[in-house]
Amino acid sequence: MAVNWAERVSAFSCRPSHFLSGTNAEAFLAELLRELRDDRASDSVKVLMLFPLCEHPSLLCPSDSIGEETALELMSVFLQCPSKSLQLRCHLLLAITSVIVCTSCVSSHTPVSVDFIDLLLQLSQNNSDVFCESSPQSIRSIACDSLRELEACCPGLLFQHIELLGGLRQQETTLLHQAYAGLYVLVLRNAVYQLTQETEAGAEHLKALLGANASITWEADRFSCLANKRDLSVLSCLIRGPMGFVPTLKTGPDCKELRSVLSSLLEESYLLTPLCQAAMLHRLTEVVAMVPGVHPAIFRAQILRLLGTSQVCLLHTTLLMKYVFTDSLFSAEDEAFMLKRLVVLAQHPLLSTSEKLFYMDCMLHFPENRPISCNDGDEALPVLLTPQLASVLLPTVLNESFTMLARFNMMSLVYLDEVEGGEEGDGKGLAYLNEHLNSLLSIVRSCASRDVVVAFFRAAFLYLMYFCHIRGYSCSLIEKLCELYLHHTKLAPHLITLINHIQNMFPESDWAEDLLKALQRAITQSLLDKLTLQDLHFHLKMLARIAQEAKIPQGSTLKFLADIITSTFSTLCTSDWCLGNSILEVCHRLLLHPSLETMLVPLADVLQHLACCYGDTDIQDHACLYYALLTTLSREKLGGVFTRGKTEEGQQVKTRTLSTLVAESEGLTKMLTVQQSHEAVFSLNKVRTEIQETKADAESHVHSTLGEANATLEVYRAQFKDPDFASEIILNYQMDHINGHNPYFEQLFSIHLHCSLTDDNFEKIDDIIIPYLFRDRPSPVVKLRMKPRRPCPTTLQVTALFTTQDGLSWHTVLPDIHVDFQYIFIPLPSPQGWGRDSKCHLFEQLWNEFCLESGDSASSLFCCQVKVSLVNIVNKHLSSYLISDMSQEEEYKVLFFFPPQFHVLLRIRSDEENRVHFKIATDNWQLLHNISSFLQSITSAKEDTTE
Amino acid sequence: MSLRALWVISHQSGENATVRFSRRFSTVEYRAKCLAGSTYVEVPEEGTVLQLLLTELGLSDPDKFYVPLRDDCLHRPRLPALELHVDGPGKGILWPVLTISHGPLILACLCLVDCPLEPRPPLANLFSVSQGLTLLRGLQTFLLGSGSKADTEGLSCRLAMLPSIMLQVCPLGTPLDVPTVATAATPSVPIPAGNQKQPAWKTGFHKGRAVVNVAVKETVRSMQYGQRSRQDLWDVYGTVTCKCEVEGVLPNVTVTLTLPPNGSPLQDILVHPCVTSLDSSILTASSVDNCDGSAFSGPYKFPFSPPLEPFMLCSYTSQVPVPPILGSYQLKEEENHLRVSATLKLHESVKNSFEFCEAHVPFFNRDQMGAVEMKVSSGQLDVSKEKNLLVWSLGPKFPKSLEVTMEGRITFSGPTPGPTDPLCTELTAYIKLHFKVPDITLSGCCVDQHSVQVYSSAKPRISTSGTVVQ
């Protein structure tokens, strides 16, 4: 059982949605709760089962009421839990907390949440828990943490208990004082925040809050829960920098009580773990920021200790304190010291990479006492960070890529100031960065491994982003990049993205264009016989990008294309579709180039050559089309045709007609893929129509065939010499949209239905094509022609392929079609012109033959009591198959014909007591079972009784 | 100041990555939802997070050379806070996902952003970031130990302990402490009576004779190019570790570091949080500052109240005038072999008594070594099993001349190619020296046994030591 639960819980945690699709949330929750109550299950298994409730309470308790019930259940489990099951009890508290917070039980003050808070308060004060008094995992500390989390999620919740919590914090000497302090400070912070929101609140209120001679009585529900008022700002951190707005409480200088509380908290802060200490200092920073009556100097005694710390969280708190209090707490010397500290820490050998990188981020957002700009989000260097001070952070090739790039970015900012400030400096900084980039480049040249390449291109992008305008360096970079590309053509996609980004960022700069020109020169001058197929592929990719540039002449590109398709090299691979496609891609771009006029002839030559000589038919066809377009359309129309092909998806352009022109575009692949619809879009429903043959038809021939009585059986049998005679049953189905479905499928075209058989009783069914199906037009009728091999009911599986309005192809599965017994027989297929007499005669002859019971023939009897008259039944269900006259009420003769060549004959009589006798004769005894069920169904059908 | 979710992922250089442990904090998620409003992005399921993290770290699809999402030069993943681009129905960007990647493990957590997400606040303004980093670093040390040696069995054993560890250090998404081996096994000595509050970082009490151990260890790192155009680099950093067994809830101990009369001041001092107070003059010297001759140069007093376990009291850096060993290394390509010569010279101020001293001479981007004809003037030379590294063990002492040489030639005619390196191509190569000298510090910094003060009833036993390593 335990293994089972471990697996189930881990399956749930791993993919909750997948897990719940197999069962449902309600069932799983019920199972969990049942197992938790089971005494036989071990504690460790129960703890395991609480994880889903802790991690995904809102999935398991989709509504507040379920949450409430669950919380109640868990609380009763908790109360019955023996006190030695410490881990289980702790986890139960966490689970209940999670459930009541996430299902809004707390914010709506449901009784269960009130009870739970009382329970937690009791637990947190319960000194009798001696068993694990000193253990940090004692139930008391978990109770405190749960209370703190409740207060954090629903600020103001514990306001009424602030005095109690303050007292507990002061008296506690065991490890628990940390948990109390954390809880108390949070409740205090939220309460002070609430006071700042009340216009009349002042020093007296603050005093009352802290429990000293309360002269103001609080209304009980005043602070009920701040989050109720939809004022979510109380949840947010108040530390938003010198420009951020902090709500304040007007108290005047007299805040003795608050000051003494703060001092005592600060004094003991040393006793907390660094993480809790930092959190407490952070909360207290918020409190002091809200109460201007308390001077920030109250933190002074702690500052030195905090500045020397090796703990990232403590130093960070100090930085945030500086962010809020600026020069009211930190002098200019402090500021300089802190910045130097950050520089030291950002490259300290004892710190981890992530800490060092975090400190670098802190430098880029350094809280200066007198910031020049107040751009909150942007990276800006503090004024005090001189190039000389920052020089220890210069990137080196030995740095791993994340550090190298962070340093490169920072030093670029440092030297950008130098370059832009016109100080000129000695230009060494920029030269260093350039040299560093070159070193990276030569590393890439010698070893183009994936990570090295990516790091280099990111550094190159940063460099260009800052220094694109410094011509000397950026020009030399162009040369080097060209050379690098020729060495490693697989860098083409990296280069193209770099070029695209630089062009987007600096539309006015021509660096990207220069690089493309240089690349074009380098590619078109390369020796063809030294190229590999892979090189060629990347060259063509690059040339296609170059052809997008209106300002770059494309003559050399065309010459290069002409060379490759005519050279001996190309004979080796002229049937390569990919290569052909890449060439066409370049041609496609050239067709759109503004200088098309000047290259009309060479481009036409290239296309013609491709159309005639290329080894792949698809490429030939495309080239042919391009050639035709080039030679017949004017430039404007050409542009129109091609650019329309590129328009965004969603704009209902007739992509179908253009798709073949858009080589290698994503749209094309989408067009060519058949989409799968996950739900049925439409269904086939049986049309309840009467069999075509009418009595009138039959009777019109009554007299014409008398006299040939003896020959009737032979004539009838002779018809079957033609194997196709009466071998089919035709079923009519109406095609309807399934209700409430996607409007996307309102209009469907070219529906191709395919029916698959589930047994071998029928011949294969031909596919059916329906031209369209519109929701707002009458449904089309589908004629399903089925050729039975044996007369048996069957089920058909139906699938459909169709096209939607936007030209996409879809595949869908329809609901199965059940071909019941009553659909597989038809009226007697008598020869043209037979009258009733002939048919009666045939009936008698067949009857006599079948009653001999030779071979598969058989006769049988079916009797039943009917509530309605026999006439009604015959009229309703059997009239089409009636051989005798309707008026001959003493005995009805009925014949069912089952393609390919079976019969069931019925003689039906009724007596005075409404008992009906069906005498049955057939040439296939296997039909007897089905015919009995059929007769039963028609004689007992409800509608007969109502009629 | 809370975390929304936490993941521990193991992988083998980017492959076979699996989530070994994960935790979601639903109540913090509830707060995140309230705070973010319409910009809220749900935390996706484990598998998705794993895939997105690997993409951000550049570890996904190792067999594809260019993947736009992973390799675009515009997008620069910024450790420690990555952004995960969640696709599909809950589309959006999850940020900041703090990530520490070390050895076979990737540790990641998603921080709660308790201020408006648009425009994106600077990382430095989010308090939860340093909390998350501290917790992740603590988890890393707990899972892998301080060394980077991969110990798969120990790792799975410690991973199995994580659920109960998390109950103690981060029950509801707000980190309270970092896991230590001590938290796993709590001592149960009863609490002494009194009004003194027990420090939360001290889970038990010592009973018995007071013992204080202080050890100073200095590490020297040096890069010597032997070129005029390139300055040689070296730096020294020291750590002072203590193990104190002293009675009392909050006993006071003071350790004093002293320097020789003209020693250069200790810089960049970082202290353990148990240090109760600091003199501002101790912190003033910094390695990034212009050195001021009049700077404070000790004695450095560190009053503290010790935790039970061994801890690093403080660390510092120091500027020493010369590196302890100077080396030169030359390679020359000749016909079908490589001529190698190297010289190492010990500085006379350094005590000539090593616990070990080893020079590693690796060769990259070449075939395995074939014939090795090398002579060393002292010590012993070995060829590694993989035949791509020479190990020169110099023994406990340099000869009287304080100089040792290695000379000879090597052919690279082995059957298989050796390791590759992007930097050490052609004749670019290096020698790496590892050594340990006991009972000496380069900066001259030391802890006098008599300067350790313990305010305790029993008489303490105090031992101190100093070491240099490279």
Side-chain angles (χ1 to χ4, degrees), chain A residues 54 177 237 270 273 323 341, chain B residues 26 114 125 176 198 269 274:
Chain A
C54 286
H177 69 85
C237 172
Y270 167 77
T273 60
Y323 201 38
R341 261 279 129 156
Chain B
S26 56
D114 53 2
N125 288 12
L176 305 173
Q198 181 187 358
I269 290 176
C274 75

Side-chain angles (χ1 to χ4, degrees), chain A residues 16 66 603 852:
Chain A
I66 298 181
L603 181 56
L852 294 175

